[in-house]
Amino acid sequence: MASKKQSLLREASHQIIAGGSAGLVEICLMHPLDVVKTRFQIQRGKADPNNYKGLGDCFRTIFRTEGVYGFYKGILPPILAETPKRAVKALSVAGLGSGLTEALVVNPFEVVKVSLQANRDSFKVQPSTFAQARTIINTDGFGLRGLNKGLTSTLGRHGVFNMIYFGFYFNVKDAIPASQDPRLEFMRKFAIGLVSGTVSSCVNIPFDVAKSRIQGPQPVPGEIKYRSCFQTMALVYREEGYLALYKGLIPKIMRLGPGGAVMLLVYEYVSDWLQKNW
C-alpha cells in the first residue's frame, strides 16, 4: 500500500513538473497572441475609438505605441497560475471536471491578466502585476465584482474546452493507429491535438469573449455594463451581431498550433528525463 501511494505521488509530481515546464515555455513564446486576442475581444465594434482594422493593424499599433514589451503585458499572472493549474489537472479527472476545477484556480489570475492586457499605456508606466491586484482588491474586494469577476464565464470556457478537447482527442487517437516511427507518432499526436483544440476553441470562444468583456474595462467608468456570462453574450449579440462572439478566434487558433507542438515536445522531454533520473 505504501509503495503504491509513493508511486502515485511520484507520478503526480512528474505530471506537475513536466506539465508546468511545458506550460511555462509555451506562455513565454506565445503570450503576444494572447494579448492580441484579448484586445480584439474587448473592442466594441467599429464605433470603438480603439478599434483595430485587422490582425496586422493590431500588431503594428501595439508595437508602435507600446513597444515590444506591450506584447508581454499580463504575462506574470498566467506564469504564477501554471503550477497550481497543472496540480489540479494531475489530481482531477480529465474532461469537464478538470476544466471546472482549473477555472476556479486560475480565475483571479485571469482578472489581473486581462486588466493589464487591456491597458494601452506604455509598458514602463503601467502598474505591476501585484500593484494591479492590490488595486482590484482594495476597490472591489475578492468577490464576484472584484478578484473573482467573470467566474461563470471562466467556468464555461474551461469546462467546455476540456470536455470537447479530451472527448475528441482520445476517441480520434484510439481510431488512428500509433506509429513505431517517433517522428510520425509525434505528428499523429500533434495533428489530433491541433484539430481537437480548434474544434474546442470554436465552441468555447463565446465564453472567452464574455469573460474578457466582464474582466476588462467597462465602456463607461463606474458603470457596470457587462455583469454576467449569458447577459454579456446576449448584449454583445444584440449590439454587435453574432460574429462579435467569435472575436479573437484567429489569434487563439494561431496559438494552438505552434503552442501545442512546443508543449508536447517540452512535456515529453522533461517527462522522459524525470522517469530516468527520479
Side-chain angles (χ1 to χ4, degrees):
M1 181 66 74
S3 61
K4 186 177 180 181
K5 284 184 178 180
Q6 287 179 344
S7 177
L8 289 172
L9 184 62
R10 184 164 56 249
E11 181 63 28
S13 63
H14 285 185
Q15 292 282 340
I16 293 167
I17 295 170
S21 301
L24 176 63
V25 173
E26 191 271 344
I27 289 167
C28 292
L29 292 175
M30 309 307 296
H31 190 74
L33 286 168
D34 193 61
V35 173
V36 171
K37 181 204 75 171
T38 300
R39 291 292 177 88
F40 274 111
Q41 290 179 340
I42 62 175
Q43 68 180 19
R44 299 175 297 279
K46 294 179 180 179
D48 192 325
N50 296 312
N51 183 60
Y52 297 112
K53 298 179 179 68
L55 201 60
D57 178 56
C58 184
F59 275 103
R60 286 192 299 271
T61 303
I62 292 174
F63 179 74
R64 187 177 64 251
T65 59
E66 301 168 49
V68 174
Y69 292 122
F71 292 109
Y72 291 90
K73 287 181 173 180
I75 192 172
L76 188 56
I79 288 175
L80 295 174
E82 192 60 30
T83 299
K85 183 173 82 172
R86 294 295 160 183
V88 166
K89 282 199 169 186
L91 299 173
S92 59
V93 180
L96 178 63
S98 70
L100 295 177
T101 49
E102 178 187 324
L104 291 170
V105 172
V106 305
N107 192 65
F109 297 93
E110 286 289 315
V111 171
V112 178
K113 183 197 76 170
V114 170
S115 64
L116 290 169
Q117 290 178 336
N119 188 322
R120 294 171 190 260
D121 294 333
S122 168
F123 188 86
K124 293 179 180 179
V125 301
Q126 83 161 45
S128 69
T129 296
F130 298 105
Q132 186 69 17
R134 279 196 301 270
T135 300
I136 293 170
I137 293 168
N138 291 337
T139 305
D140 300 307
F142 290 93
L144 297 178
R145 287 284 178 261
L147 204 59
N148 269 296
K149 62 184 172 183
L151 178 59
T152 307
S153 301
T154 307
L155 288 167
R157 185 183 76 160
H158 286 257
V160 169
F161 185 92
N162 279 269
M163 180 175 62
I164 296 173
Y165 181 90
F166 286 113
F168 190 95
Y169 181 86
F170 287 113
N171 278 287
V172 174
K173 184 182 170 187
D174 292 340
I176 301 175
S179 173
Q180 298 301 316
D181 187 327
R183 287 176 295 181
L184 291 177
E185 179 60 13
F186 171 80
M187 290 304 298
R188 181 183 79 98
K189 289 180 178 178
F190 172 68
I192 297 170
L194 178 60
V195 174
S196 302
T198 302
V199 172
S200 304
S201 294
C202 290
V203 177
N204 89 328
I205 190 76
F207 290 97
D208 204 0
V209 172
K211 171 187 158 302
S212 294
R213 294 292 179 97
I214 295 168
Q215 295 177 346
Q218 298 290 317
V220 179
E223 180 182 315
I224 300 176
K225 180 177 182 179
Y226 304 112
R227 296 180 176 275
S228 62
C229 178
F230 294 107
Q231 176 263 349
T232 299
M233 285 186 193
L235 195 57
V236 170
Y237 172 76
R238 189 165 62 248
E239 293 183 347
E240 303 169 42
Y242 75 93
L243 287 178
L245 292 170
Y246 291 85
K247 286 182 176 180
L249 180 61
I250 293 175
K252 186 171 185 176
I253 292 175
M254 285 174 65
R255 181 180 182 177
L256 279 172
V262 166
M263 286 191 70
L264 194 57
L265 282 170
V266 174
Y267 178 85
E268 293 197 347
Y269 178 83
V270 175
S271 185
D272 286 345
W273 185 88
L274 289 170
Q275 294 289 348
K276 292 174 183 176
N277 295 279
W278 186 15

